[in-house]
Amino acid sequence: MQAKNIIEVIVDVPTMQTDRPYDYSIPEDLKDLIQPGMRVQVPFGSRNLLGYVISDPKATTDFEGELKDITALLDDEPVLSPEMLALGKQIAAENFCFLVEAYHTMLPNLLKVDYDKYFLPTTSISYREHAQYFSDFNEISWAEAEEKGYLADLIKLKKDNKVSIDYRVEDRKRYKTEKWVQPLMGFDQLEDELQNVRKTAKKQLALVEVLMELDGKKVSAKYFEEFDIHMATLKAGAEKGWLSLFDQPVNRDPYANIVIEKSEKLQLQAQQERAFAAVKTAMDAQKDEVFLLQGVTGSGKTEVYLQLIQEALDKGQEAILLVPEISLTPQMVNRLKGRFGDMVAVLHSQLSTGEHFDEWRKLKNGQAKIAVGARSSIFAPLHNIGLIILDEEHETTYKQSDNPRYHAREVAKWRANKHGCPVILGSATPSLESRARAQNGVYTLLEMPERSNHQALPPVELIDMREEFRHKNYYQFSRKLRDEMQATMDRGEQVALMLNRRGYANFMQCRDCGYTFQCPNCDVSLTYHYHNKQLQCHYCGYNAARPQTCPQCGQTHLREFGTGTEKVEQEINELFPNKTVVRMDMDTTRRKGSHERMLKQIADKKADILLGTQMIAKGLDFPNITLVGIINADTSLYLPDFRAAERTFQLLTQMSGRAGRGDLSGQVLIQTYNPDHYALTLAQHHDYDTFYQTEMRYRKLNQYSPYFYTVRFTVSNFDDHTAMATAAKVAHMLREANVAGTKIIGPAQSTISRVNNQYYYQLLYQHRGNQAIHQVLQAIQDRAQNWSKDKIYVSIDVDPMTFM
DNA sequence: AGCACGCCGACT
DNA sequence: GTCGGCGTGCTC
């Protein structure tokens, strides 16, 4: 039998032509080390690239040419488990993305690599040339050559074989280290040393004494700080031979300096107990059952999660808890850390790449057993998962909006199946898709209709803003909301105000001629930002200083239209001059830790009013907030998206749930121009069931999800006509395939038809989910390979969450 | 993607 | 004659 010294590698070139395994031979010295799931460096063409080993060693290859050797191994153990290797294939196939892309998103960024190119002199280079381009060195990087203007010359020398190019792969993987101290002398020796130290060298005397106490034990250099002994003294000690300093790899801990209150296990109430028992039964039976836990806001879902996670730990298993956007739910993280301490690893986008890598590593090597985080945490490198939870399962952030366009819910089900464990989908307002599956018995429905503090859900009032206008009230605030804010704050309680800004732009217009300021690269209005007096494009980032005169008519009567958080904040300052406002939106929360700081201000009652965009609707739990006001409820209602009503209903219900979470009763005021729309009236009455039924009728009538599946194609090109014509070709291919029960909508211009000077067309394909569909989609994907050569890009989004 | 190879126009 | 433009096709 032949030796098995060939392996399959996926190379780091995200294109259609290279989206397949390449065979490489294993050099003798790596033979016993190489395993599937490891990262390797391979020669590919004239370059060196990162690759993922995806197969066990095999004896034969179909490749006709001569196999190349793997250049180097980048890991000492696999970074992708066999489960992950299989999962990547599944994701790539279902979402029409490249396999490398799938593997990349499953791993922390630190495991990506940088590519560098270096020029090296060969033996045929002249002394003169060497001196000119390399001076005293034996290499020069491509970037440096470019900077110094040598690039053209060096490329010429390359042609004459006077220099060669070295393609390097630089692993970004770095371990953080700390200085540690290894005592080198025993007690008696140190005692002798004590005599040799000058009596005035107080620090050194102290150091010797501490070392004597350590009795040979290794400790961190930090340990000496409490004796006021610092690095200079330790270095002196090392020179005298008392100790040696070495680098100890440590985990970066983003929560190191944060004090977390211990959270105690609570007594479960009857409805929680029922949900707990149902999931525990599935866990005991190792069944991959999916539960839809539908509990009203404040019903105590989190406590159920925590106790079930405890169950998993007790069995020696691990758990994953997904939240929509972790930086918005610090309270959830605190509760988990308070209950489970170091067992929790938190993964989210505001961590540095190094911190993220270390949290990931803790999960991989078993130091932590609970993964908490946003969407990508579903790929947590755990080995024996006992439970997966998606909190607020209806949130659209669970679907990634660019490649690979996976949905965390689907990945969760896939992993649950592999691990034989249940999945909990938790929400007060489940997505229609999930609720329909629960209705059909595909998921098990668990209901928690009561609030745990036994407070009734807060009364909700709809305020007709058309009336306000008729009464010549031109503020963003209705008279009622103003009065109630005053009364609430007079009682020493707090107010939360939400501005529903989705799909809404602040724009600037000339009052004389009606000219509006548009982005030169995109078909959208520019948004005016008050704080830096700039007009900005929210799609391509274009910005310009606020003009003083109208470019069309030259007049100076320019005015900002629309409602932004900044403008509302100004009005609040006008109406309630001695109250403090905390404003939370994309602008004020960009910096690391700013969420926590702002929420702490509310928790400590240093502020009276919390004003924010929809980010404040999620997971906040402040007992002293008793009034919730929604400034403009209906801006999300008439978006070109069949889920517009569902989103509005979910948002209003969720925001209403922020009121009256403690012992004080709360109230909610919703300002609207559509007080009769069912999404609003049913949110007003906390009536999910009627909303579900009403909305399902509408979806059935119009053949939308969950009755039909949707695939969205987006075609883009710098030329308007080419983009349109290609979209028509896609439509043609779908029509030709002629699959029964399908429907084509479009092609049509995208809502924003031009972004960054690229024209966008989209096309929707509704189907009932049979195998023939996948073939058509694959055929279009294959055609797209040719189109991409002409810079025409076609993207396929299976079950899209947005239609903009 | 990036690079080599290859076939046509406008230069030292 | 040669240099260099970017179209085409390959990378184990």
Side-chain angles (χ1 to χ4, degrees), chain A residues 38 56 59 116 158 178 217 238 339 343 385 388-389 426 495 583 589 608 747 765:
Chain A
M38 286 182 169
D56 282 316
D116 285 319
K158 163 105 194 329
E178 232 175 59
K217 209 173 69 193
R339 184 84 48 103
M343 287 283 103
I385 304 173
I388 303 176
I389 303 165
V495 180
R583 189 184 113 213
T589 55
D608 309 288
Y765 187 48

Side-chain angles (χ1 to χ4, degrees), chain A residues 178-220:
Chain A
E178 232 175 59
K179 286 283 177 216
W180 274 51
V181 171
Q182 165 77 67
L184 291 177
M185 291 181 175
F187 189 91
D188 297 338
Q189 263 180 300
L190 285 164
E191 204 165 32
D192 293 342
E193 285 294 321
L194 220 40
Q195 314 307 317
N196 304 335
V197 180
R198 273 182 298 118
K199 290 286 165 281
T200 49
K202 290 255 162 54
K203 289 277 164 85
Q204 293 197 14
L205 288 169
L207 172 59
V208 175
E209 275 169 21
V210 176
L211 287 171
M212 283 165 77
E213 262 173 49
L214 280 173
D215 197 22
K217 209 173 69 193
K218 293 181 219 173
V219 290
S220 162

Side-chain angles (χ1 to χ4, degrees), chain A residues 297 301 324 391-395 426-429 451 498 614-620 628 630 647-659 661 668 683 686:
Chain A
T297 50
K301 290 191 286 288
D391 191 34
E392 310 288 357
E393 70 90 29
H394 60 276
E395 283 293 333
S427 178
T429 51
R451 282 189 135 186
M498 186 186 72
Q614 29 219 317
M615 65 171 66
I616 67 166
K618 283 168 206 150
L620 302 188
V628 163
I630 294 155
R647 298 264 170 75
T648 306
F649 179 84
Q650 284 162 345
L651 187 61
L652 296 181
T653 305
Q654 220 161 61
M655 194 60 212
S656 303
R658 301 306 120 211
R661 296 184 67 96
V668 180
H686 310 287

Side-chain angles (χ1 to χ4, degrees), chain A residues 589-602:
Chain A
T589 55
R590 222 185 305 272
R591 294 225 339 266
K592 201 170 166 173
S594 49
H595 285 100
E596 285 85 345
R597 241 189 335 274
M598 291 180 169
L599 295 178
K600 196 170 181 324
Q601 252 185 294
I602 297 291

Side-chain angles (χ1 to χ4, degrees), chain A residues 295-315:
Chain A
V296 295
T297 50
S299 60
K301 290 191 286 288
T302 307
E303 187 60 28
V304 176
Y305 300 157
L306 293 184
Q307 296 201 16
L308 284 165
I309 291 170
Q310 185 65 57
E311 282 293 315
L313 294 184
D314 291 348
K315 286 184 206 294

Side-chain angles (χ1 to χ4, degrees), chain A residues 65-81:
Chain A
E66 180 122 352
L67 291 187
K68 289 183 181 171
D69 265 0
I70 290 207
T71 320
L73 212 48
L74 267 53
D75 300 304
D76 51 6
E77 56 179 298
V79 292
L80 291 164
S81 63

